[in-house]
Amino acid sequence: ILLIILLGGVLIWRSASWFWSMSRGQYIYFISVALIWAAIIEYKGVFLFGQWKYSELMPTVFGIGLSPLLQLMVTGLSALWLMDFLGYGRCFEAS
């Protein structure tokens, strides 16, 4: 999650605090990168290295488990929302 935030801020928006007031495009960026990152991790773990496998009850998308795909996106967005809710974004504002 931190890597997604840093890559977006440093490479794309050139700001260390872009995630405090995210636009629709930045939300789409975050969700897209989280889904792609999760798919890569799952693909490597299941198909390349055989580190784990799914139960036949696991819903899959293109052979990759649905819940692992959604987990990184949901926890990442929850972390951003929680930071904003607790007011940590206020430390970047001028007093």
PDB file of all heavy atoms in Angstrom, residues 22-61:
ATOM      1  N   MET A  22      -7.902  13.101  -2.602  1.00  0.00           N
ATOM      2  CA  MET A  22      -7.834  12.355  -3.851  1.00  0.00           C
ATOM      3  C   MET A  22      -8.981  12.718  -4.787  1.00  0.00           C
ATOM      4  O   MET A  22     -10.123  12.836  -4.369  1.00  0.00           O
ATOM      5  CB  MET A  22      -7.850  10.853  -3.568  1.00  0.00           C
ATOM      6  CG  MET A  22      -6.584  10.371  -2.888  1.00  0.00           C
ATOM      7  SD  MET A  22      -6.648   8.647  -2.368  1.00  0.00           S
ATOM      8  CE  MET A  22      -6.901   7.786  -3.883  1.00  0.00           C
ATOM      9  N   SER A  23      -8.632  12.859  -6.058  1.00  0.00           N
ATOM     10  CA  SER A  23      -9.641  13.079  -7.093  1.00  0.00           C
ATOM     11  C   SER A  23     -10.148  11.719  -7.581  1.00  0.00           C
ATOM     12  O   SER A  23      -9.620  10.669  -7.207  1.00  0.00           O
ATOM     13  CB  SER A  23      -9.028  13.846  -8.260  1.00  0.00           C
ATOM     14  OG  SER A  23      -8.068  13.035  -8.917  1.00  0.00           O
ATOM     15  N   ARG A  24     -11.155  11.754  -8.428  1.00  0.00           N
ATOM     16  CA  ARG A  24     -11.694  10.506  -8.984  1.00  0.00           C
ATOM     17  C   ARG A  24     -10.615   9.742  -9.744  1.00  0.00           C
ATOM     18  O   ARG A  24     -10.504   8.528  -9.640  1.00  0.00           O
ATOM     19  CB  ARG A  24     -12.859  10.815  -9.899  1.00  0.00           C
ATOM     20  CG  ARG A  24     -13.524   9.572 -10.442  1.00  0.00           C
ATOM     21  CD  ARG A  24     -14.656   9.924 -11.360  1.00  0.00           C
ATOM     22  NE  ARG A  24     -15.605  10.789 -10.679  1.00  0.00           N
ATOM     23  CZ  ARG A  24     -16.886  10.554 -10.587  1.00  0.00           C
ATOM     24  NH1 ARG A  24     -17.387   9.494 -11.153  1.00  0.00           N
ATOM     25  NH2 ARG A  24     -17.677  11.397  -9.960  1.00  0.00           N
ATOM     26  N   GLY A  25      -9.793  10.453 -10.510  1.00  0.00           N
ATOM     27  CA  GLY A  25      -8.720   9.806 -11.253  1.00  0.00           C
ATOM     28  C   GLY A  25      -7.689   9.152 -10.338  1.00  0.00           C
ATOM     29  O   GLY A  25      -7.159   8.086 -10.655  1.00  0.00           O
ATOM     30  N   GLN A  26      -7.417   9.777  -9.210  1.00  0.00           N
ATOM     31  CA  GLN A  26      -6.461   9.197  -8.272  1.00  0.00           C
ATOM     32  C   GLN A  26      -7.036   7.959  -7.583  1.00  0.00           C
ATOM     33  O   GLN A  26      -6.311   7.011  -7.311  1.00  0.00           O
ATOM     34  CB  GLN A  26      -6.023  10.250  -7.262  1.00  0.00           C
ATOM     35  CG  GLN A  26      -5.144  11.303  -7.919  1.00  0.00           C
ATOM     36  CD  GLN A  26      -4.932  12.528  -7.057  1.00  0.00           C
ATOM     37  OE1 GLN A  26      -5.824  12.946  -6.317  1.00  0.00           O
ATOM     38  NE2 GLN A  26      -3.756  13.111  -7.159  1.00  0.00           N
ATOM     39  N   TYR A  27      -8.337   7.963  -7.309  1.00  0.00           N
ATOM     40  CA  TYR A  27      -8.973   6.753  -6.780  1.00  0.00           C
ATOM     41  C   TYR A  27      -8.892   5.620  -7.800  1.00  0.00           C
ATOM     42  O   TYR A  27      -8.592   4.483  -7.452  1.00  0.00           O
ATOM     43  CB  TYR A  27     -10.443   7.001  -6.418  1.00  0.00           C
ATOM     44  CG  TYR A  27     -10.640   7.552  -5.038  1.00  0.00           C
ATOM     45  CD1 TYR A  27     -11.034   8.866  -4.845  1.00  0.00           C
ATOM     46  CD2 TYR A  27     -10.431   6.760  -3.910  1.00  0.00           C
ATOM     47  CE1 TYR A  27     -11.222   9.382  -3.573  1.00  0.00           C
ATOM     48  CE2 TYR A  27     -10.609   7.263  -2.634  1.00  0.00           C
ATOM     49  CZ  TYR A  27     -11.007   8.568  -2.471  1.00  0.00           C
ATOM     50  OH  TYR A  27     -11.175   9.071  -1.219  1.00  0.00           O
ATOM     51  N   ILE A  28      -9.149   5.934  -9.059  1.00  0.00           N
ATOM     52  CA  ILE A  28      -9.063   4.922 -10.112  1.00  0.00           C
ATOM     53  C   ILE A  28      -7.638   4.399 -10.225  1.00  0.00           C
ATOM     54  O   ILE A  28      -7.414   3.191 -10.367  1.00  0.00           O
ATOM     55  CB  ILE A  28      -9.578   5.489 -11.453  1.00  0.00           C
ATOM     56  CG1 ILE A  28     -11.082   5.726 -11.363  1.00  0.00           C
ATOM     57  CG2 ILE A  28      -9.235   4.565 -12.622  1.00  0.00           C
ATOM     58  CD1 ILE A  28     -11.674   6.494 -12.522  1.00  0.00           C
ATOM     59  N   TYR A  29      -6.649   5.297 -10.149  1.00  0.00           N
ATOM     60  CA  TYR A  29      -5.242   4.882 -10.147  1.00  0.00           C
ATOM     61  C   TYR A  29      -4.984   3.913  -9.000  1.00  0.00           C
ATOM     62  O   TYR A  29      -4.417   2.836  -9.194  1.00  0.00           O
ATOM     63  CB  TYR A  29      -4.322   6.105 -10.025  1.00  0.00           C
ATOM     64  CG  TYR A  29      -2.953   5.756  -9.486  1.00  0.00           C
ATOM     65  CD1 TYR A  29      -1.984   5.213 -10.319  1.00  0.00           C
ATOM     66  CD2 TYR A  29      -2.641   5.928  -8.147  1.00  0.00           C
ATOM     67  CE1 TYR A  29      -0.739   4.861  -9.825  1.00  0.00           C
ATOM     68  CE2 TYR A  29      -1.404   5.580  -7.641  1.00  0.00           C
ATOM     69  CZ  TYR A  29      -0.457   5.046  -8.479  1.00  0.00           C
ATOM     70  OH  TYR A  29       0.762   4.688  -7.985  1.00  0.00           O
ATOM     71  N   PHE A  30      -5.374   4.290  -7.788  1.00  0.00           N
ATOM     72  CA  PHE A  30      -5.099   3.480  -6.604  1.00  0.00           C
ATOM     73  C   PHE A  30      -5.733   2.098  -6.733  1.00  0.00           C
ATOM     74  O   PHE A  30      -5.083   1.082  -6.495  1.00  0.00           O
ATOM     75  CB  PHE A  30      -5.602   4.181  -5.337  1.00  0.00           C
ATOM     76  CG  PHE A  30      -5.163   3.500  -4.079  1.00  0.00           C
ATOM     77  CD1 PHE A  30      -3.972   3.862  -3.477  1.00  0.00           C
ATOM     78  CD2 PHE A  30      -5.914   2.502  -3.507  1.00  0.00           C
ATOM     79  CE1 PHE A  30      -3.539   3.232  -2.332  1.00  0.00           C
ATOM     80  CE2 PHE A  30      -5.500   1.860  -2.361  1.00  0.00           C
ATOM     81  CZ  PHE A  30      -4.315   2.230  -1.770  1.00  0.00           C
ATOM     82  N   ILE A  31      -7.002   2.054  -7.131  1.00  0.00           N
ATOM     83  CA  ILE A  31      -7.709   0.780  -7.260  1.00  0.00           C
ATOM     84  C   ILE A  31      -7.077  -0.078  -8.352  1.00  0.00           C
ATOM     85  O   ILE A  31      -6.861  -1.279  -8.163  1.00  0.00           O
ATOM     86  CB  ILE A  31      -9.205   1.036  -7.529  1.00  0.00           C
ATOM     87  CG1 ILE A  31      -9.861   1.616  -6.271  1.00  0.00           C
ATOM     88  CG2 ILE A  31      -9.910  -0.230  -7.991  1.00  0.00           C
ATOM     89  CD1 ILE A  31     -11.254   2.175  -6.497  1.00  0.00           C
ATOM     90  N   SER A  32      -6.750   0.521  -9.481  1.00  0.00           N
ATOM     91  CA  SER A  32      -6.153  -0.216 -10.596  1.00  0.00           C
ATOM     92  C   SER A  32      -4.799  -0.803 -10.228  1.00  0.00           C
ATOM     93  O   SER A  32      -4.536  -1.988 -10.480  1.00  0.00           O
ATOM     94  CB  SER A  32      -5.992   0.689 -11.815  1.00  0.00           C
ATOM     95  OG  SER A  32      -7.227   1.182 -12.234  1.00  0.00           O
ATOM     96  N   VAL A  33      -3.949   0.004  -9.637  1.00  0.00           N
ATOM     97  CA  VAL A  33      -2.619  -0.480  -9.273  1.00  0.00           C
ATOM     98  C   VAL A  33      -2.716  -1.554  -8.195  1.00  0.00           C
ATOM     99  O   VAL A  33      -1.997  -2.553  -8.238  1.00  0.00           O
ATOM    100  CB  VAL A  33      -1.707   0.688  -8.826  1.00  0.00           C
ATOM    101  CG1 VAL A  33      -0.392   0.182  -8.279  1.00  0.00           C
ATOM    102  CG2 VAL A  33      -1.464   1.627  -9.997  1.00  0.00           C
ATOM    103  N   ALA A  34      -3.626  -1.388  -7.237  1.00  0.00           N
ATOM    104  CA  ALA A  34      -3.801  -2.400  -6.191  1.00  0.00           C
ATOM    105  C   ALA A  34      -4.263  -3.725  -6.788  1.00  0.00           C
ATOM    106  O   ALA A  34      -3.759  -4.791  -6.413  1.00  0.00           O
ATOM    107  CB  ALA A  34      -4.789  -1.913  -5.139  1.00  0.00           C
ATOM    108  N   LEU A  35      -5.196  -3.684  -7.729  1.00  0.00           N
ATOM    109  CA  LEU A  35      -5.670  -4.916  -8.364  1.00  0.00           C
ATOM    110  C   LEU A  35      -4.567  -5.589  -9.193  1.00  0.00           C
ATOM    111  O   LEU A  35      -4.397  -6.806  -9.148  1.00  0.00           O
ATOM    112  CB  LEU A  35      -6.883  -4.624  -9.245  1.00  0.00           C
ATOM    113  CG  LEU A  35      -8.193  -4.360  -8.506  1.00  0.00           C
ATOM    114  CD1 LEU A  35      -9.269  -3.908  -9.487  1.00  0.00           C
ATOM    115  CD2 LEU A  35      -8.646  -5.587  -7.757  1.00  0.00           C
ATOM    116  N   ILE A  36      -3.822  -4.790  -9.933  1.00  0.00           N
ATOM    117  CA  ILE A  36      -2.733  -5.347 -10.745  1.00  0.00           C
ATOM    118  C   ILE A  36      -1.658  -5.949  -9.850  1.00  0.00           C
ATOM    119  O   ILE A  36      -1.162  -7.056 -10.095  1.00  0.00           O
ATOM    120  CB  ILE A  36      -2.143  -4.263 -11.675  1.00  0.00           C
ATOM    121  CG1 ILE A  36      -3.169  -3.899 -12.744  1.00  0.00           C
ATOM    122  CG2 ILE A  36      -0.834  -4.722 -12.301  1.00  0.00           C
ATOM    123  CD1 ILE A  36      -2.821  -2.640 -13.528  1.00  0.00           C
ATOM    124  N   TRP A  37      -1.295  -5.240  -8.791  1.00  0.00           N
ATOM    125  CA  TRP A  37      -0.264  -5.717  -7.858  1.00  0.00           C
ATOM    126  C   TRP A  37      -0.714  -7.023  -7.204  1.00  0.00           C
ATOM    127  O   TRP A  37       0.058  -7.979  -7.099  1.00  0.00           O
ATOM    128  CB  TRP A  37       0.013  -4.638  -6.822  1.00  0.00           C
ATOM    129  CG  TRP A  37       1.230  -4.883  -6.009  1.00  0.00           C
ATOM    130  CD1 TRP A  37       1.282  -5.335  -4.729  1.00  0.00           C
ATOM    131  CD2 TRP A  37       2.589  -4.704  -6.406  1.00  0.00           C
ATOM    132  NE1 TRP A  37       2.572  -5.443  -4.308  1.00  0.00           N
ATOM    133  CE2 TRP A  37       3.394  -5.059  -5.327  1.00  0.00           C
ATOM    134  CE3 TRP A  37       3.184  -4.272  -7.589  1.00  0.00           C
ATOM    135  CZ2 TRP A  37       4.782  -5.000  -5.386  1.00  0.00           C
ATOM    136  CZ3 TRP A  37       4.564  -4.213  -7.634  1.00  0.00           C
ATOM    137  CH2 TRP A  37       5.342  -4.573  -6.551  1.00  0.00           C
ATOM    138  N   ALA A  38      -1.972  -7.092  -6.761  1.00  0.00           N
ATOM    139  CA  ALA A  38      -2.493  -8.307  -6.137  1.00  0.00           C
ATOM    140  C   ALA A  38      -2.506  -9.468  -7.140  1.00  0.00           C
ATOM    141  O   ALA A  38      -2.176 -10.601  -6.779  1.00  0.00           O
ATOM    142  CB  ALA A  38      -3.895  -8.057  -5.589  1.00  0.00           C
ATOM    143  N   ALA A  39      -2.876  -9.189  -8.393  1.00  0.00           N
ATOM    144  CA  ALA A  39      -2.901 -10.237  -9.412  1.00  0.00           C
ATOM    145  C   ALA A  39      -1.504 -10.801  -9.660  1.00  0.00           C
ATOM    146  O   ALA A  39      -1.326 -12.016  -9.797  1.00  0.00           O
ATOM    147  CB  ALA A  39      -3.495  -9.697 -10.710  1.00  0.00           C
ATOM    148  N   ILE A  40      -0.507  -9.933  -9.681  1.00  0.00           N
ATOM    149  CA  ILE A  40       0.878 -10.384  -9.882  1.00  0.00           C
ATOM    150  C   ILE A  40       1.325 -11.258  -8.724  1.00  0.00           C
ATOM    151  O   ILE A  40       1.912 -12.326  -8.918  1.00  0.00           O
ATOM    152  CB  ILE A  40       1.818  -9.173 -10.071  1.00  0.00           C
ATOM    153  CG1 ILE A  40       1.533  -8.495 -11.406  1.00  0.00           C
ATOM    154  CG2 ILE A  40       3.278  -9.599  -9.964  1.00  0.00           C
ATOM    155  CD1 ILE A  40       2.212  -7.142 -11.570  1.00  0.00           C
ATOM    156  N   ILE A  41       1.055 -10.820  -7.505  1.00  0.00           N
ATOM    157  CA  ILE A  41       1.441 -11.601  -6.318  1.00  0.00           C
ATOM    158  C   ILE A  41       0.760 -12.973  -6.333  1.00  0.00           C
ATOM    159  O   ILE A  41       1.404 -14.001  -6.096  1.00  0.00           O
ATOM    160  CB  ILE A  41       1.088 -10.832  -5.033  1.00  0.00           C
ATOM    161  CG1 ILE A  41       1.971  -9.599  -4.891  1.00  0.00           C
ATOM    162  CG2 ILE A  41       1.218 -11.739  -3.801  1.00  0.00           C
ATOM    163  CD1 ILE A  41       1.519  -8.634  -3.804  1.00  0.00           C
ATOM    164  N   GLU A  42      -0.539 -12.997  -6.603  1.00  0.00           N
ATOM    165  CA  GLU A  42      -1.276 -14.258  -6.624  1.00  0.00           C
ATOM    166  C   GLU A  42      -0.808 -15.164  -7.756  1.00  0.00           C
ATOM    167  O   GLU A  42      -0.649 -16.364  -7.565  1.00  0.00           O
ATOM    168  CB  GLU A  42      -2.780 -13.996  -6.745  1.00  0.00           C
ATOM    169  CG  GLU A  42      -3.393 -13.403  -5.509  1.00  0.00           C
ATOM    170  CD  GLU A  42      -3.304 -14.326  -4.309  1.00  0.00           C
ATOM    171  OE1 GLU A  42      -3.686 -15.513  -4.402  1.00  0.00           O
ATOM    172  OE2 GLU A  42      -2.854 -13.845  -3.254  1.00  0.00           O
ATOM    173  N   TYR A  43      -0.582 -14.600  -8.929  1.00  0.00           N
ATOM    174  CA  TYR A  43      -0.126 -15.402 -10.062  1.00  0.00           C
ATOM    175  C   TYR A  43       1.217 -16.071  -9.748  1.00  0.00           C
ATOM    176  O   TYR A  43       1.393 -17.267  -9.990  1.00  0.00           O
ATOM    177  CB  TYR A  43      -0.003 -14.534 -11.315  1.00  0.00           C
ATOM    178  CG  TYR A  43       0.433 -15.310 -12.529  1.00  0.00           C
ATOM    179  CD1 TYR A  43      -0.484 -16.056 -13.260  1.00  0.00           C
ATOM    180  CD2 TYR A  43       1.768 -15.322 -12.928  1.00  0.00           C
ATOM    181  CE1 TYR A  43      -0.085 -16.787 -14.370  1.00  0.00           C
ATOM    182  CE2 TYR A  43       2.177 -16.048 -14.029  1.00  0.00           C
ATOM    183  CZ  TYR A  43       1.244 -16.780 -14.752  1.00  0.00           C
ATOM    184  OH  TYR A  43       1.642 -17.512 -15.835  1.00  0.00           O
ATOM    185  N   LYS A  44       2.139 -15.288  -9.207  1.00  0.00           N
ATOM    186  CA  LYS A  44       3.444 -15.848  -8.849  1.00  0.00           C
ATOM    187  C   LYS A  44       3.312 -16.933  -7.785  1.00  0.00           C
ATOM    188  O   LYS A  44       3.926 -17.986  -7.879  1.00  0.00           O
ATOM    189  CB  LYS A  44       4.378 -14.743  -8.363  1.00  0.00           C
ATOM    190  CG  LYS A  44       4.897 -13.856  -9.480  1.00  0.00           C
ATOM    191  CD  LYS A  44       5.692 -12.678  -8.972  1.00  0.00           C
ATOM    192  CE  LYS A  44       6.793 -13.072  -8.040  1.00  0.00           C
ATOM    193  NZ  LYS A  44       7.580 -11.932  -7.543  1.00  0.00           N
ATOM    194  N   GLY A  45       2.512 -16.668  -6.750  1.00  0.00           N
ATOM    195  CA  GLY A  45       2.376 -17.620  -5.655  1.00  0.00           C
ATOM    196  C   GLY A  45       1.676 -18.910  -6.047  1.00  0.00           C
ATOM    197  O   GLY A  45       2.053 -19.989  -5.591  1.00  0.00           O
ATOM    198  N   VAL A  46       0.670 -18.816  -6.903  1.00  0.00           N
ATOM    199  CA  VAL A  46      -0.115 -19.996  -7.268  1.00  0.00           C
ATOM    200  C   VAL A  46       0.486 -20.737  -8.460  1.00  0.00           C
ATOM    201  O   VAL A  46       0.699 -21.944  -8.415  1.00  0.00           O
ATOM    202  CB  VAL A  46      -1.583 -19.610  -7.573  1.00  0.00           C
ATOM    203  CG1 VAL A  46      -2.358 -20.798  -8.124  1.00  0.00           C
ATOM    204  CG2 VAL A  46      -2.248 -19.082  -6.322  1.00  0.00           C
ATOM    205  N   PHE A  47       0.764 -20.020  -9.533  1.00  0.00           N
ATOM    206  CA  PHE A  47       1.134 -20.672 -10.785  1.00  0.00           C
ATOM    207  C   PHE A  47       2.643 -20.820 -10.992  1.00  0.00           C
ATOM    208  O   PHE A  47       3.094 -21.826 -11.526  1.00  0.00           O
ATOM    209  CB  PHE A  47       0.523 -19.929 -11.975  1.00  0.00           C
ATOM    210  CG  PHE A  47      -0.970 -19.914 -11.939  1.00  0.00           C
ATOM    211  CD1 PHE A  47      -1.655 -18.743 -11.690  1.00  0.00           C
ATOM    212  CD2 PHE A  47      -1.694 -21.073 -12.128  1.00  0.00           C
ATOM    213  CE1 PHE A  47      -3.037 -18.712 -11.648  1.00  0.00           C
ATOM    214  CE2 PHE A  47      -3.081 -21.065 -12.085  1.00  0.00           C
ATOM    215  CZ  PHE A  47      -3.756 -19.880 -11.840  1.00  0.00           C
ATOM    216  N   LEU A  48       3.436 -19.856 -10.612  1.00  0.00           N
ATOM    217  CA  LEU A  48       4.882 -19.940 -10.858  1.00  0.00           C
ATOM    218  C   LEU A  48       5.614 -20.724  -9.776  1.00  0.00           C
ATOM    219  O   LEU A  48       6.440 -21.583 -10.078  1.00  0.00           O
ATOM    220  CB  LEU A  48       5.482 -18.538 -10.976  1.00  0.00           C
ATOM    221  CG  LEU A  48       5.038 -17.705 -12.173  1.00  0.00           C
ATOM    222  CD1 LEU A  48       5.757 -16.365 -12.190  1.00  0.00           C
ATOM    223  CD2 LEU A  48       5.279 -18.448 -13.474  1.00  0.00           C
ATOM    224  N   PHE A  49       5.336 -20.436  -8.512  1.00  0.00           N
ATOM    225  CA  PHE A  49       6.079 -21.052  -7.419  1.00  0.00           C
ATOM    226  C   PHE A  49       5.308 -22.131  -6.677  1.00  0.00           C
ATOM    227  O   PHE A  49       5.889 -22.854  -5.878  1.00  0.00           O
ATOM    228  CB  PHE A  49       6.555 -19.976  -6.425  1.00  0.00           C
ATOM    229  CG  PHE A  49       7.441 -18.946  -7.051  1.00  0.00           C
ATOM    230  CD1 PHE A  49       7.094 -17.618  -7.030  1.00  0.00           C
ATOM    231  CD2 PHE A  49       8.622 -19.302  -7.687  1.00  0.00           C
ATOM    232  CE1 PHE A  49       7.902 -16.652  -7.605  1.00  0.00           C
ATOM    233  CE2 PHE A  49       9.444 -18.357  -8.268  1.00  0.00           C
ATOM    234  CZ  PHE A  49       9.083 -17.022  -8.235  1.00  0.00           C
ATOM    235  N   GLY A  50       4.009 -22.232  -6.890  1.00  0.00           N
ATOM    236  CA  GLY A  50       3.207 -23.258  -6.239  1.00  0.00           C
ATOM    237  C   GLY A  50       3.209 -23.159  -4.720  1.00  0.00           C
ATOM    238  O   GLY A  50       3.134 -24.170  -4.029  1.00  0.00           O
ATOM    239  N   GLN A  51       3.287 -21.940  -4.187  1.00  0.00           N
ATOM    240  CA  GLN A  51       3.358 -21.754  -2.740  1.00  0.00           C
ATOM    241  C   GLN A  51       2.032 -22.023  -2.049  1.00  0.00           C
ATOM    242  O   GLN A  51       1.999 -22.359  -0.878  1.00  0.00           O
ATOM    243  CB  GLN A  51       3.829 -20.338  -2.418  1.00  0.00           C
ATOM    244  CG  GLN A  51       5.248 -20.080  -2.857  1.00  0.00           C
ATOM    245  CD  GLN A  51       5.646 -18.630  -2.680  1.00  0.00           C
ATOM    246  OE1 GLN A  51       4.836 -17.733  -2.918  1.00  0.00           O
ATOM    247  NE2 GLN A  51       6.881 -18.409  -2.254  1.00  0.00           N
ATOM    248  N   TRP A  52       0.921 -21.857  -2.745  1.00  0.00           N
ATOM    249  CA  TRP A  52      -0.394 -22.149  -2.197  1.00  0.00           C
ATOM    250  C   TRP A  52      -1.337 -22.474  -3.343  1.00  0.00           C
ATOM    251  O   TRP A  52      -1.014 -22.290  -4.511  1.00  0.00           O
ATOM    252  CB  TRP A  52      -0.934 -20.991  -1.352  1.00  0.00           C
ATOM    253  CG  TRP A  52      -1.133 -19.700  -2.089  1.00  0.00           C
ATOM    254  CD1 TRP A  52      -2.228 -19.334  -2.833  1.00  0.00           C
ATOM    255  CD2 TRP A  52      -0.224 -18.612  -2.178  1.00  0.00           C
ATOM    256  NE1 TRP A  52      -2.044 -18.081  -3.364  1.00  0.00           N
ATOM    257  CE2 TRP A  52      -0.812 -17.611  -2.978  1.00  0.00           C
ATOM    258  CE3 TRP A  52       1.039 -18.368  -1.656  1.00  0.00           C
ATOM    259  CZ2 TRP A  52      -0.199 -16.413  -3.268  1.00  0.00           C
ATOM    260  CZ3 TRP A  52       1.663 -17.173  -1.942  1.00  0.00           C
ATOM    261  CH2 TRP A  52       1.046 -16.208  -2.732  1.00  0.00           C
ATOM    262  N   LYS A  53      -2.486 -23.015  -3.000  1.00  0.00           N
ATOM    263  CA  LYS A  53      -3.507 -23.282  -4.014  1.00  0.00           C
ATOM    264  C   LYS A  53      -4.860 -22.949  -3.412  1.00  0.00           C
ATOM    265  O   LYS A  53      -5.005 -22.824  -2.196  1.00  0.00           O
ATOM    266  CB  LYS A  53      -3.452 -24.720  -4.503  1.00  0.00           C
ATOM    267  CG  LYS A  53      -3.719 -25.755  -3.443  1.00  0.00           C
ATOM    268  CD  LYS A  53      -3.608 -27.133  -4.033  1.00  0.00           C
ATOM    269  CE  LYS A  53      -3.942 -28.158  -2.942  1.00  0.00           C
ATOM    270  NZ  LYS A  53      -3.942 -29.509  -3.467  1.00  0.00           N
ATOM    271  N   TYR A  54      -5.836 -22.788  -4.272  1.00  0.00           N
ATOM    272  CA  TYR A  54      -7.172 -22.408  -3.852  1.00  0.00           C
ATOM    273  C   TYR A  54      -8.044 -23.638  -3.670  1.00  0.00           C
ATOM    274  O   TYR A  54      -7.895 -24.634  -4.387  1.00  0.00           O
ATOM    275  CB  TYR A  54      -7.829 -21.490  -4.886  1.00  0.00           C
ATOM    276  CG  TYR A  54      -7.061 -20.244  -5.195  1.00  0.00           C
ATOM    277  CD1 TYR A  54      -6.717 -19.927  -6.497  1.00  0.00           C
ATOM    278  CD2 TYR A  54      -6.678 -19.371  -4.186  1.00  0.00           C
ATOM    279  CE1 TYR A  54      -6.013 -18.775  -6.793  1.00  0.00           C
ATOM    280  CE2 TYR A  54      -5.977 -18.216  -4.476  1.00  0.00           C
ATOM    281  CZ  TYR A  54      -5.645 -17.928  -5.777  1.00  0.00           C
ATOM    282  OH  TYR A  54      -4.955 -16.795  -6.062  1.00  0.00           O
ATOM    283  N   SER A  55      -8.979 -23.530  -2.755  1.00  0.00           N
ATOM    284  CA  SER A  55     -10.015 -24.544  -2.603  1.00  0.00           C
ATOM    285  C   SER A  55     -10.941 -24.461  -3.814  1.00  0.00           C
ATOM    286  O   SER A  55     -11.040 -23.419  -4.467  1.00  0.00           O
ATOM    287  CB  SER A  55     -10.796 -24.271  -1.316  1.00  0.00           C
ATOM    288  OG  SER A  55     -12.027 -24.945  -1.322  1.00  0.00           O
ATOM    289  N   GLU A  56     -11.621 -25.547  -4.106  1.00  0.00           N
ATOM    290  CA  GLU A  56     -12.577 -25.512  -5.219  1.00  0.00           C
ATOM    291  C   GLU A  56     -13.753 -24.588  -4.917  1.00  0.00           C
ATOM    292  O   GLU A  56     -14.502 -24.208  -5.811  1.00  0.00           O
ATOM    293  CB  GLU A  56     -13.076 -26.910  -5.580  1.00  0.00           C
ATOM    294  CG  GLU A  56     -13.635 -27.702  -4.435  1.00  0.00           C
ATOM    295  CD  GLU A  56     -12.568 -28.439  -3.606  1.00  0.00           C
ATOM    296  OE1 GLU A  56     -11.410 -28.534  -4.013  1.00  0.00           O
ATOM    297  OE2 GLU A  56     -12.945 -28.893  -2.529  1.00  0.00           O
ATOM    298  N   LEU A  57     -13.911 -24.170  -3.665  1.00  0.00           N
ATOM    299  CA  LEU A  57     -14.982 -23.244  -3.288  1.00  0.00           C
ATOM    300  C   LEU A  57     -14.609 -21.778  -3.531  1.00  0.00           C
ATOM    301  O   LEU A  57     -15.478 -20.908  -3.501  1.00  0.00           O
ATOM    302  CB  LEU A  57     -15.343 -23.428  -1.810  1.00  0.00           C
ATOM    303  CG  LEU A  57     -15.855 -24.816  -1.412  1.00  0.00           C
ATOM    304  CD1 LEU A  57     -16.062 -24.888   0.096  1.00  0.00           C
ATOM    305  CD2 LEU A  57     -17.120 -25.152  -2.158  1.00  0.00           C
ATOM    306  N   MET A  58     -13.333 -21.503  -3.762  1.00  0.00           N
ATOM    307  CA  MET A  58     -12.873 -20.125  -3.966  1.00  0.00           C
ATOM    308  C   MET A  58     -13.336 -19.611  -5.329  1.00  0.00           C
ATOM    309  O   MET A  58     -13.008 -20.202  -6.362  1.00  0.00           O
ATOM    310  CB  MET A  58     -11.349 -20.047  -3.905  1.00  0.00           C
ATOM    311  CG  MET A  58     -10.748 -18.731  -4.376  1.00  0.00           C
ATOM    312  SD  MET A  58     -10.983 -17.363  -3.262  1.00  0.00           S
ATOM    313  CE  MET A  58      -9.679 -17.664  -2.100  1.00  0.00           C
ATOM    314  N   PRO A  59     -14.100 -18.516  -5.354  1.00  0.00           N
ATOM    315  CA  PRO A  59     -14.438 -17.926  -6.658  1.00  0.00           C
ATOM    316  C   PRO A  59     -13.171 -17.331  -7.291  1.00  0.00           C
ATOM    317  O   PRO A  59     -12.374 -16.701  -6.595  1.00  0.00           O
ATOM    318  CB  PRO A  59     -15.450 -16.845  -6.325  1.00  0.00           C
ATOM    319  CG  PRO A  59     -15.385 -16.634  -4.867  1.00  0.00           C
ATOM    320  CD  PRO A  59     -14.705 -17.807  -4.248  1.00  0.00           C
ATOM    321  N   THR A  60     -12.986 -17.575  -8.567  1.00  0.00           N
ATOM    322  CA  THR A  60     -11.783 -17.098  -9.245  1.00  0.00           C
ATOM    323  C   THR A  60     -12.131 -16.235 -10.454  1.00  0.00           C
ATOM    324  O   THR A  60     -13.206 -16.343 -11.028  1.00  0.00           O
ATOM    325  CB  THR A  60     -10.903 -18.271  -9.713  1.00  0.00           C
ATOM    326  OG1 THR A  60     -11.644 -19.077 -10.621  1.00  0.00           O
ATOM    327  CG2 THR A  60     -10.412 -19.110  -8.547  1.00  0.00           C
ATOM    328  N   VAL A  61     -11.175 -15.382 -10.799  1.00  0.00           N
ATOM    329  CA  VAL A  61     -11.245 -14.573 -12.006  1.00  0.00           C
ATOM    330  C   VAL A  61      -9.973 -14.882 -12.790  1.00  0.00           C
ATOM    331  O   VAL A  61      -8.874 -14.598 -12.312  1.00  0.00           O
ATOM    332  CB  VAL A  61     -11.322 -13.064 -11.667  1.00  0.00           C
ATOM    333  CG1 VAL A  61     -11.311 -12.228 -12.926  1.00  0.00           C
ATOM    334  CG2 VAL A  61     -12.528 -12.757 -10.807  1.00  0.00           C
TER     335      VAL A  61
END
